[in-house]
Amino acid sequence: MHIAVSLPPFSDAATLVDLAVEAERAGWDGVFLWDHLVFQRQSRLDVHDPWVLLGAMAQATERVRLGTLVTPLARRRPWMVARHLTTLDHLSGGRSVLGVGVGEPSDDDFAAFGEPADHRQRAAMLDEALTVLDGLLRGPVAHEGVHYRVDTELLPRPVQRPRPPIWVAAIAPHRRPLARAVRWDGVVPLTGFGPPTPQELRSYLAGVERPTGWEVVAMWAPGVPAHEYAAAGATWLVEGCWPEGDWVAELRDRITAGP
């Protein structure tokens, strides 16, 4: 099982890049960034763009997987995400990963900018955007749908072929997001109350026919042994934190201690 760290990009930009370097040095397998514009207005957080940070991390590291957990495609044009992801794949020598989801919070990260706040509309946009994104990463695209119209080709292609992995967030116990994730390269199972326990993960995945190489990217609940997640079906385990208090120092201590 691979072990990664998830970084909220809500601190000094150079500090976040340093944390990625420290994670690679300490033996972690991946560094992933949240993708928000404001997150929570009342918190007044300094929020940095994950793609710029990932580009800097790609140049400062050699081994760790790099990507977003997760990018809400409903507020990002899929062709721009394809361009960001491809560039990151070249900068990193084929180490990029894209996590996607419907996105939250619907008020401060969507409605406040005139973006769709309705969950079902964003889910429909996500499905269509994934089709467009996948096509643009592979070759020429001629697509005319409800939300997107594309007739072009983007070059260069990514280093990874046919494209970098795409992991899809799914909120347990809902089955429709899980069915969406099965069509792609992996699932990021979440709950409304924090990381899933191994028991919750096992229950959510029950009955799912997993394609070969399909990843299960689980957030790591504090105090739970990693092997219990592996036994429940996880292939990636992701250590994270909530951005409050002295979270940067606490996360740095956890990173330097190793996975």
Side-chain angles (χ1 to χ4, degrees):
M1 183 168 60
H2 302 289
I3 310 292
V5 61
S6 174
L7 303 179
F10 307 154
S11 182
D12 174 73
T15 296
L16 292 162
V17 176
D18 288 343
L19 288 175
V21 173
E22 292 173 19
E24 178 168 89
R25 186 180 301 125
W28 298 78
D29 299 309
V31 176
F32 304 125
L33 295 179
W34 301 17
D35 188 344
H36 292 278
L37 288 173
V38 173
F39 186 53
Q40 295 176 339
R41 185 182 302 182
Q42 72 274 15
S43 299
R44 298 185 58 80
L45 295 166
D46 293 334
V47 181
H48 291 288
D49 181 82
W51 294 102
V52 176
L53 289 170
L54 287 166
M57 292 173 180
Q59 292 290 276
T61 60
E62 298 179 349
R63 180 186 54 80
V64 289
R65 279 279 186 176
L66 298 168
T68 55
L69 283 182
V70 295
T71 288
L73 283 186
R75 66 165 168 76
R76 286 188 178 269
R77 296 183 177 183
W79 40 91
M80 293 305 300
V81 175
R83 175 62 71 224
H84 295 330
L85 185 61
T86 297
T87 301
L88 177 62
D89 210 43
H90 281 265
L91 282 173
S92 66
R95 292 182 282 133
S96 70
V97 177
L98 175 65
V100 299
V102 173
E104 292 292 344
S106 59
D107 49 2
D108 289 341
D109 257 7
F110 290 88
F113 297 93
E115 300 283 2
D118 180 74
H119 186 277
R120 290 187 177 182
Q121 182 179 353
R122 297 205 310 274
M125 294 175 71
L126 170 59
D127 283 327
E128 187 177 341
L130 280 168
T131 298
V132 173
L133 175 67
D134 177 61
L136 289 170
L137 293 169
R138 293 173 182 266
V141 171
H143 171 91
E144 184 153 353
V146 175
H147 302 287
Y148 305 103
R149 292 186 299 277
V150 181
D151 185 6
T152 192
E153 179 180 14
L154 294 183
L155 296 172
R157 302 274 192 276
V159 173
Q160 298 176 83
R161 299 300 176 92
R163 54 159 173 71
I166 296 175
W167 299 339
V168 181
I171 306 295
H174 304 295
R175 308 304 293 179
R176 186 173 297 177
L178 183 56
R180 174 187 296 121
V182 171
R183 298 195 294 270
W184 299 96
D185 305 307
V187 65
V188 186
L190 304 169
T191 73
F193 307 98
T197 65
Q199 294 78 11
E200 289 171 331
L201 179 63
R202 183 181 292 106
S203 175
Y204 191 47
L205 297 174
V208 175
E209 293 189 15
R210 307 180 201 178
T212 301
W214 195 67
E215 306 281 9
V216 177
V217 186
M219 300 299 165
W220 198 347
V224 180
H227 68 83
E228 293 187 15
Y229 279 101
T235 60
W236 281 82
L237 200 53
V238 182
E239 177 79 56
C241 70
W242 195 253
E244 61 184 7
D246 198 11
W247 67 269
V248 175
E250 293 172 3
L251 188 56
R252 173 177 275 114
D253 289 343
R254 178 67 186 91
I255 288 171
T256 55

